[in-house]
Amino acid sequence: MSGNGTPKVSEREARQVAEEAREQDWRKPSFAKELFLGRFRLDLIHPHPLPADEDAQAGEEFLAKLRDFCETKIDGALIEREAKIPDAVIDGLKELGALGMKIDRTYGGLGLTQVYYNKALALVGSVSPAVGALLSAHQSIGLPQPLKLFGSPEQKETYLPRLARTDISAFLLTEPDVGSDPARLATTAVPDGDDYVIDGVKLWTTNGVVADLMVVMARVPKSEDHRGGITAFVVEAGAEGVTVENRNAFMGLRGLENGVTRFHRVRVPAANRIGPEGAGLKIALTTLNTGRLSLPAMCAGAGKWCLRIAREWSAVREQWGKPVAEHEAVGAKISFIAATAFALEAVLDLSSQMADEDRNDIRIEAALAKLYGSEMAWLMADELVQIRGGRGYETADSLAARGERAVPAEQILRDLRINRIFEGSTEIMHLLIAREAVDAHLAVAGDIIDPDKSLGDKAKAGAQAGVFYAKWLPKLVAGAGQLPTSYGDFHPAGHTDLAAHLRWVERTSRKLARSTFYAMSRWQGRMETKQGFLGRIVDIGAELFAMSAACVRAEMLRTNGEHGREAYQLADVFCRQARIRVEELFGRLWNNTDDLDATVVRGVLSGTYTWLEEGVLDPSGDGPWIADATPGPATRENVHRPVR
């Protein structure tokens, strides 16, 4: 144990905990998994799946009500200024049924599909990202989703009606010294008769300040009668011993009700345990498989807003005798924003509709959507600020004060920045997706590089691997991407040729698989340490997935008679931009500074370059780098404020 009760675990132990928590089997097909294996299964995503008529009607009716509420009741500028969502707004969302968008009608919810839930988040997030985050945290990672997937009938009957109409939920996993390494979880839940007694401190509890119900991850000690392990519990936020010790403040999302929550001898009935002991991480990760789609929903919405502001501003602002949009340097930025906005919506809608269909395993698609959406939306907002110039850096209030349109460009940049960290940082997403992408390889050859396996096991694995690769490798040599007539549906008369892009995706998918295989052969057991390489492999896969989604969406819109020609143009431009990025990433697979970077890092940590830090002062305040999270009674005022 460390000084604050955090368990000391080895790297191998930490990896084992993470490995045991992930879904082991692939019971359904996965477009993205096949893509990483060099198999371009266009049939899994084309024709583009569509919602049922009744689902679409219910979704559109709710969106109309929500739009009216957003326009008349939510003042995003006020929330930004006061760093708080007014209680009246939260009450209004409850009355509207917004807390129950994803909860089945059986329990008083709206029962919206993932597609329309995401459209709702994009709409709300465009007015106030803080309100979008509140609704997302409540339903995407909060209590409704784990109860839907893993809750008992009694738990669903007890909690889902409350969550659909009145009660806000929060998800509590992170601790002051525990982020993406849950093996070190320090919060404990000790069995005591028919109860568990929870002790510990949780950090960055989104919605925690206003929550009524919480999903809490805590470690149950292993004993004769208890399997033990990280376990999920439903905890009433007003229970004795629960204290919200701080409401945190951030660079963006200033209305976010995010805090630090302490548990001191909090008694929780065994009936409040979700699933069996030790299943907490699996529940969390499974919940996130579709829950992660909420962030790209708001990223896609942000991209649409960036496009609108770029269009309106660039047509009005003149420089050197013509609108700035007509200058190539600015025009390239506008083209990037427009093409990427189209692609983000394509990735989001395709992934969401696949989630609703439940025909495919979308764990990789959802993770790619989160990774790609958060990275690209940030770049789009950054380009918007650049297009706006000094006005992009100026706050909306300041612009209004001097008589100009209050455009919150700098705010959206701040608000979007957290998405590259929320629900799995970009770096963690790279590793998570890479692990899933190489699962087929590890399934047949993993024992060969496992130091704990016997020679007999390694020999058996070698034989299995030989059979697998004898069938798989020859298929990476040639494919449909080399036939000029392939994917002809995507080159209709009078439209831009998207078939050529799909043929390129097919060829590049095989190239990606060959590169991954070569790297595994080269580095074997050290592959997991090559995080730079793995990150680039995943980024290539993300671009290929986005290209595929953009082409499929364009063809779907053409078929439905909805801006088909324009959609084809946007998809074409996006694919051309993405191909340039992919070629650069392939070059960096083998031509990079990864090894040199590691040398410099060792020098930085050993103090070799401290002379480089001279000449400046550190304005940081005093205090430890990581706050003490030793279990015990609260010593600070409880700032929990449920909205009733």
Side-chain angles (χ1 to χ4, degrees):
M1 292 282 184
S2 64
N4 61 8
T6 302
K8 290 288 187 182
V9 296
S10 67
E11 181 179 0
R12 184 168 182 79
E13 289 172 327
R15 291 182 185 279
Q16 184 177 355
V17 168
E19 184 64 21
E20 290 174 353
R22 61 176 289 274
E23 287 187 73
Q24 304 292 326
D25 301 322
W26 294 86
R27 299 183 182 88
K28 300 174 184 176
S30 165
F31 172 80
K33 178 175 180 282
E34 294 293 299
L35 193 69
F36 280 106
L37 286 170
R39 300 189 286 241
F40 182 50
R41 292 285 309 278
L42 185 63
D43 61 294
L44 293 178
I45 61 172
H46 173 68
H48 193 296
L50 295 171
D53 290 342
E54 58 270 23
D55 290 333
Q57 181 178 347
E60 293 294 343
E61 289 175 358
F62 176 72
L63 285 180
K65 297 176 185 176
L66 184 63
R67 176 180 289 275
D68 179 68
F69 181 83
C70 289
E71 289 177 339
T72 60
K73 304 298 183 182
I74 300 179
D75 185 341
L78 176 68
I79 293 172
E80 173 71 4
R81 281 194 301 272
E82 298 188 354
K84 179 183 176 181
I85 301 171
D87 289 358
V89 170
I90 298 177
D91 288 338
L93 290 170
K94 291 179 179 180
E95 293 173 9
L96 202 61
L99 293 188
M101 285 187 284
K102 285 197 72 181
I103 296 175
D104 193 271
R105 295 183 181 91
T106 304
Y107 303 104
L110 299 181
L112 296 186
T113 63
Q114 185 72 39
V115 169
Y116 278 97
Y117 170 65
N118 285 339
K119 288 180 182 294
L121 290 181
L123 177 63
V124 172
S126 66
V127 179
S128 171
V131 176
L134 180 140
L135 292 175
S136 170
H138 166 68
Q139 290 169 93
S140 299
I141 60 174
L143 190 52
Q145 191 69 7
L147 281 184
K148 175 183 176 181
L149 296 174
F150 300 99
S152 67
E154 294 77 17
Q155 289 172 335
K156 293 176 182 179
E157 290 285 350
T158 300
Y159 297 115
L160 287 178
R162 292 170 55 183
L163 294 163
R165 291 290 174 180
T166 59
D167 288 23
I168 297 172
S169 71
F171 174 78
L172 282 66
L173 172 63
T174 305
E175 297 176 2
D177 198 24
V178 179
S180 298
D181 183 8
R184 302 172 63 246
L185 200 76
T187 298
T188 58
V190 179
D192 183 17
D194 293 331
D195 297 337
Y196 290 86
V197 179
I198 299 180
D199 283 277
V201 178
K202 294 293 185 179
L203 176 63
W204 297 324
T205 59
T206 301
N207 285 359
V209 179
V210 295
D212 302 288
L213 290 166
M214 304 176 290
V215 184
V216 180
M217 297 294 168
R219 183 186 302 279
V220 177
K222 190 173 184 179
S223 65
E224 182 178 344
D225 298 323
H226 292 272
R227 174 189 172 187
I230 298 173
T231 306
F233 296 91
V234 181
V235 180
E236 298 276 358
E240 185 177 353
V242 178
T243 305
V244 179
E245 295 191 323
N246 194 64
R247 182 183 187 270
N248 304 323
F250 300 99
M251 173 196 298
L253 295 182
R254 290 181 173 170
L256 195 67
E257 297 291 353
N258 181 297
V260 177
T261 304
R262 178 178 293 272
F263 297 87
H264 178 58
R265 298 176 184 171
V266 179
R267 300 192 74 85
V268 178
N272 285 29
R273 189 188 68 220
I274 306 175
E277 290 182 357
L281 278 186
K282 184 178 288 290
I283 289 172
L285 292 179
T286 305
T287 297
L288 282 172
N289 279 344
T290 53
R292 283 197 176 97
L293 290 174
S294 62
L295 287 188
M298 287 183 281
C299 289
K304 288 173 174 285
W305 182 82
C306 287
L307 177 60
R308 175 173 182 166
I309 298 301
R311 171 179 59 82
E312 294 181 351
W313 166 250
S314 300
V316 172
R317 172 63 165 161
E318 291 192 358
Q319 192 85 333
W320 299 313
K322 57 183 177 181
V324 294
E326 296 181 19
H327 291 283
E328 189 175 271
V330 175
K333 299 179 187 301
I334 296 173
S335 175
F336 166 74
I337 291 173
T340 308
F342 178 81
L344 288 194
E345 186 169 42
V347 167
L348 174 70
D349 276 11
L350 178 61
S351 301
S352 301
Q353 189 58 53
M354 290 168 74
D356 288 330
E357 251 193 345
D358 201 26
R359 183 169 55 90
N360 295 314
D361 186 322
I362 67 155
R363 73 181 87 163
I364 300 181
E365 286 84 348
L368 286 173
K370 189 275 177 187
L371 169 69
Y372 197 73
S374 59
E375 288 294 324
M376 300 306 278
W378 164 257
L379 292 177
M380 295 164 76
D382 187 53
E383 293 288 40
L384 175 65
V385 168
Q386 193 71 17
I387 291 170
R388 287 275 290 162
R391 291 173 174 85
Y393 193 68
E394 191 173 2
T395 68
D397 280 350
S398 179
L399 288 165
R402 58 182 186 79
E404 291 192 2
R405 185 177 299 186
V407 178
E410 61 82 31
Q411 180 191 336
I412 199 169
L413 193 65
R414 289 186 287 102
D415 288 340
L416 284 172
R417 185 60 182 84
I418 188 57
N419 292 334
R420 298 176 63 209
I421 300 170
F422 259 171
E423 296 181 23
S425 68
T426 291
E427 293 72 26
I428 291 299
M429 296 306 297
H430 277 151
L431 299 181
L432 183 151
I433 297 168
R435 171 62 187 86
E436 299 294 355
V438 301
D439 185 54
H441 299 284
L442 294 179
V444 298
D447 286 356
I448 298 175
I449 59 177
D450 189 336
D452 292 340
K453 296 297 181 180
S454 66
L455 289 176
D457 289 336
K458 291 179 183 290
K460 183 179 179 182
Q464 289 178 328
V467 173
F468 173 79
Y469 290 118
K471 295 179 180 179
W472 178 68
L473 286 171
K475 296 179 181 178
L476 301 183
V477 177
Q482 290 163 295
L483 300 175
T485 57
S486 294
Y487 314 117
D489 291 350
F490 289 83
H491 192 189
H495 289 69
T496 306
D497 182 10
L498 296 185
H501 294 308
L502 292 177
R503 290 194 293 271
W504 189 88
V505 170
E506 195 278 336
R507 296 194 303 273
T508 307
S509 171
R510 287 185 280 113
K511 180 180 179 181
L512 180 63
R514 292 194 301 268
S515 299
T516 304
F517 175 73
Y518 173 73
M520 292 185 67
S521 303
R522 176 179 176 180
W523 290 313
Q524 297 185 33
R526 293 185 295 124
M527 181 77 166
E528 63 185 20
T529 69
K530 300 296 180 179
Q531 295 180 0
F533 178 91
L534 292 172
R536 295 175 198 114
I537 286 289
V538 169
D539 285 340
I540 292 170
E543 295 283 6
L544 297 183
F545 177 44
M547 290 176 66
S548 305
C551 291
V552 169
R553 182 174 184 81
E555 174 59 13
M556 181 264 289
L557 293 176
R558 184 193 72 84
T559 303
N560 293 347
E562 302 174 18
H563 312 292
R565 195 179 307 277
E566 296 82 5
Y568 259 67
Q569 291 172 346
L570 288 170
D572 176 53
V573 172
F574 172 76
C575 286
R576 291 177 185 275
Q577 294 173 355
R579 286 168 70 160
I580 293 171
R581 292 191 292 267
V582 168
E583 294 292 358
E584 180 185 352
L585 285 165
F586 268 117
R588 290 173 55 208
L589 284 181
W590 312 110
N591 184 16
N592 54 64
T593 61
D594 292 351
D595 292 339
L596 290 173
D597 294 342
T599 300
V600 171
V601 169
R602 287 192 294 270
V604 169
L605 295 180
S606 66
T608 302
Y609 310 120
T610 51
W611 51 269
L612 191 57
E613 302 166 10
E614 295 173 1
V616 298
L617 297 174
D618 180 7
S620 306
D622 295 329
W625 286 104
I626 299 172
D628 180 33
T630 303
T635 58
R636 305 178 65 175
E637 178 187 356
N638 189 1
V639 296
H640 179 234
R641 58 171 200 88
V643 181
R644 292 294 186 185

